[in-house]
Amino acid sequence: MSTDDLAAPAALAPHLGTVLDALAAGAATRNGPLPAGGPAAVAEALGRVLADTGGADPLRTLTTALAAHSVDPLHPDCAAHLHCPPLAVAVAADLAASAVNASLDSWDQAPAAIEIENDVLRSLAGLVGYGPRAAGVLTTGGTESNLMGLLLARDSAPDHHRATRTAVFASTAAHFSVARNASLLGLPPAAVHLVPTDDRHRMDPAALHAALRAHRARTPAGEGAGPSVVVATAGTTDLGAVDPLRALAETAHAHGASLHVDAAYGGGALFSERLRPLLDGLPLADTIALDLHKLGWQPVPAGVFLARDAARFDPLEARVAYLNAQDDEDEGYLSPLGRSLRTTRRADAFKLAVTLRALGRDGLGRLVDRCHDLARHAAARIAATPGLELTAEPVLTTVVFRCTDPRLDASATDEANARARRALLAAGRAVVGRTELGPGPGAIRLKLTLLNPHTTEERLDALVDAVAAAGREAAAEVVPATAGTA
Ligand SMILES: *Cc1c(COP(=O)(O)O)cnc(C)c1O
């Protein structure tokens, strides 16, 4: 074996053995959901490994160090983010995609991968309830899909003032990428209208109606209003709240606005008979973002952007002499170049094609349902644990809560929760999420995002107990400081 061998299967085989051994060895030395000791310990350990530039087997050394000092989404106590343990079959398929190294910017770099992507997109379009006119593309994730949703809503509009007069309507609980994408598109902050939510953090259709009407009323007479796009969220990152999609679609369309649904998280409910009704109205959306690297158990990236009508992609059409000449396309050598913001693009749909066949919709649905059950179990345990306060019943697979102590005021409670989480990280004991609901003080919450279908109720109970214990210790640290100022 030579290290400058290219990735022919025979050359790859010994490297795979090295990687699998090193992953196991690294995980064994970590022996928990994350490395203990916090950022300083990780920086020191990695610094030592990286300083050794003359080592004999860098693949083995670096893979071992990577595994030893990583956060392990396979570990039951790793429960902070929408950061899933990937399916083994999907990781193996992704290796095949890397080895073949197709690039989906032209037919002559990806003949099979283009067919496979189209097949996956047809399946997913069918799953969301779109008809035969739908089209889509694989993306790096919800952030890119949301950018495409805004961009194509803007550029599909006939109004020539569209570039400066586009208005975006999203709820106060929408993902931060909505506002950032609007800014990337050159829209001023005032172009993003934050629509109030109801008591369960869902966009209120009556408030959307009022916001759209007020926007229209502000447009000076004689000047056409620019395009308006409503971004609904199906599964907010923290509470999993699903906006009332049907009512929002009707409201948006009645005002001539288009609807993009950010289903990066909640799109996973499509696989579940039990949760699917939450997404009622989804096929009314003009465009949709899905992330199969969340409730789809894919290695990153597995973002999907879908449009109800393929014509939505027209503004992205690109004719590039060396990639997709018109006469080649006329002869059937079609390329997906005009559906993506990217040029070189790896075959991310391949792992999805394999997964959808290996597990099927029902298999994925069982994983979603299991994680939903685990979230409900954790919520009940939290509600029953003294010193913990459940914020809301889980909708999907997240559980939001906090540690409380009668001796602490709102700011001290925030402080204790933040400290408790960091203490669990520093000890290498657990990776628990943290967020804020509304303006502080008193806004900080802890969060369990349950994406590991193989954890057990007993493991979850132990995790909840560990958080409660960390909360008690943190409260004891914070109390004297508060008492001193009282
Ligand atoms: C995760 C998430 C995103 C961002 O997706 P990335 O894949 O991280 O780019 C957008 N919206 C929601 C609701 C999400 O949960």
Side-chain angles (χ1 to χ4, degrees), residues 82 140-144 146 175 177 233 235-237 262 264-265 291 293-294:
L82 289 162
T140 52
T143 303
E144 183 186 346
N146 288 344
H175 193 260
S177 64
T233 311
T236 58
T237 312
D262 176 359
Y265 174 25
D291 264 358
H293 54 241
K294 292 173 177 170

Side-chain angles (χ1 to χ4, degrees), residues 210-252:
L212 285 163
R213 205 174 44 186
H215 173 67
R216 174 68 55 84
R218 278 192 306 271
T219 305
E223 297 183 22
S228 292
V229 51
V230 174
V231 180
T233 311
T236 58
T237 312
D238 285 335
L239 290 160
V242 180
D243 288 344
L245 303 179
R246 182 172 295 280
L248 295 178
E250 282 160 7
T251 306

Side-chain angles (χ1 to χ4, degrees), residues 382 385-391 401-410 412-414 416-417 420 442 444-446 467-468 470-476 479:
I382 287 165
T385 301
L388 296 182
E389 171 194 280
L390 181 68
T391 300
F401 65 106
R402 65 176 172 175
C403 305
T404 57
D405 185 303
R407 297 168 296 175
L408 303 182
D409 65 11
T413 301
D414 282 347
N417 279 276
I444 292 186
R445 293 292 183 280
L446 302 178
V467 176
R472 282 192 298 275
E473 283 180 30
V479 164

